[in-house]
Amino acid sequence: MPRTSSTTRRSRLFRTTAAFAVLVALAGYLAVQYLSGHKGAPRCTVGPSAGGEGRTYELSPDQAANAATISAVGTTRGLPERAVTIALATALQESALRNIDHGDRDSLGLFQQRPSQGWGTPEQIMDPVYSSGKFYEHLAEVPGYSRLPLTVAAQRVQKSGFPQAYAKHEPDAELLSAALTGRAPASLTCSPPAAAGAAPGDAAEVRSDLARTFGKDVLPSAGSAGASAASTVSVPVRDAGDAADRRGWELAHWAVARAGTLRIDEVSYAGKVWSADTGWRTERPDGEKSPASTVRMRLAQ
């Protein structure tokens, strides 16, 4: 039966109304996102120490976790902050601090290292601890690398087709290395992704990750006063003076960067406490104090 003009008008009106409703819903969603500043999005921010002013840099929790690993491997080898800065700038250029399983030809991982060029097996290169170690191993062979322009030092290791590309990442790499080596206290904070229904944090997993990244000597011996309970991991800082302060903040920032992966709810050190909800804050006078010279990580339950 042929459609009447009335039926055609009703059909057109229905389509117009439906399209308008979709546009209103989309506009509402975008407005909420704009006004909220994407507050629910997982992110990490690195910048000046708490209460300070200056430039900041934002990255994802996954990127921050990889950056923390790169830094920890460097300092564990006794290398200076400049080496960490060079490594971080290189990884920012090569992979945007993401442990990717693809790249140019057979390039893989954080530093886009190639198995065919002797950097290791694909499985080894995809391990951030291993790939970071291989980068530092080659960097240490560059004479005077700490005095060279960053892009020159990185290029001596990477032999990239774009040798000037590393320089643009130096400011961000410097911010990251200042925080992750502990020189800038309370300067890294993260809002890890929500983990509804996720398993509780596992103290054994945290200790294993610490030992793999920093070396087994980072942990207290079994049965010592600093040994961890089931819901916390406590790491004593054995250095003295300024070195102890840097070491403590290095470990604290590592824990913040790895909080999403390891299900760490709270990190405390030197009278400061971090949580995903509040960032870094001063410990309450009437609250439970973190032990002196100890980094304490409270796990999700």
Side-chain angles (χ1 to χ4, degrees):
M1 185 173 106
R3 302 179 66 184
T4 66
S5 60
S6 177
T7 302
T8 301
R9 283 196 299 273
R10 284 197 299 271
S11 177
R12 186 180 299 117
L13 178 62
F14 175 79
R15 290 197 301 271
T16 302
T17 302
F20 181 73
V22 170
L23 287 173
V24 169
L26 178 61
Y29 171 79
L30 292 174
V32 169
Q33 292 298 304
Y34 175 79
L35 292 173
S36 67
H38 305 280
K39 289 182 181 177
R43 65 190 183 279
C44 296
T45 303
V46 62
S49 298
E53 297 181 358
R55 199 174 65 83
T56 61
Y57 174 61
E58 189 169 295
L59 65 170
S60 73
D62 182 58
Q63 290 172 303
N66 288 327
T69 297
I70 291 170
S71 176
V73 172
T75 60
T76 298
R77 288 172 172 248
L79 297 175
E81 184 180 331
R82 179 62 175 173
V84 174
T85 299
I86 295 168
L88 289 170
T90 301
L92 279 164
Q93 170 59 28
E94 297 291 356
S95 67
L97 282 172
R98 289 182 166 86
N99 195 30
I100 52 179
D101 61 359
H102 58 275
D104 179 45
R105 290 170 284 190
D106 60 336
S107 299
L108 296 168
L110 291 171
F111 296 92
Q112 289 292 279
Q113 294 158 338
R114 299 179 59 193
S116 64
Q117 301 301 306
W119 287 92
T121 67
E123 293 76 16
Q124 288 174 322
I125 292 171
M126 288 300 295
D127 174 3
V129 173
Y130 173 90
S131 62
S132 299
K134 292 301 286 185
F135 178 86
Y136 287 121
E137 181 182 308
H138 284 74
L139 180 65
E141 294 174 354
V142 177
Y145 72 83
S146 62
R147 299 186 300 275
L148 294 174
L150 183 146
T151 194
V152 174
Q155 175 63 6
R156 296 275 177 88
V157 176
Q158 298 294 105
K159 299 177 174 57
S160 168
F162 303 94
Q164 299 304 317
Y166 305 106
K168 64 179 179 285
H169 299 290
E170 187 166 1
D172 296 331
E174 287 177 340
L175 273 179
L176 279 168
S177 61
L180 294 171
T181 63
R183 180 166 60 83
S187 58
L188 172 70
T189 187
C190 289
S191 299
D202 183 343
E205 182 182 1
V206 176
R207 289 194 293 269
S208 176
D209 214 22
L210 277 163
R212 255 194 102 245
T213 308
F214 290 96
K216 59 182 175 53
D217 291 341
V218 72
L219 295 167
S221 58
S224 72
S228 307
S231 61
T232 63
V233 173
S234 296
V235 185
V237 181
R238 298 188 178 92
D239 295 321
D242 292 342
D245 196 47
R246 286 193 65 154
R247 180 63 162 175
W249 282 111
E250 177 183 15
L251 289 163
H253 285 151
W254 175 90
V256 170
R258 299 283 290 150
T261 302
L262 296 173
R263 303 283 288 125
I264 298 171
D265 270 355
E266 187 177 276
V267 179
S268 55
Y269 176 67
K272 299 284 186 181
V273 181
W274 169 90
S275 69
D277 294 333
T278 64
W280 287 103
R281 66 186 189 278
T282 302
E283 284 184 308
R284 291 171 49 189
D286 58 343
E288 181 185 1
K289 295 291 188 298
S290 56
S293 302
T294 297
V295 178
R296 187 172 61 189
M297 308 166 197
R298 184 168 62 81
L299 309 183
Q301 297 300 298

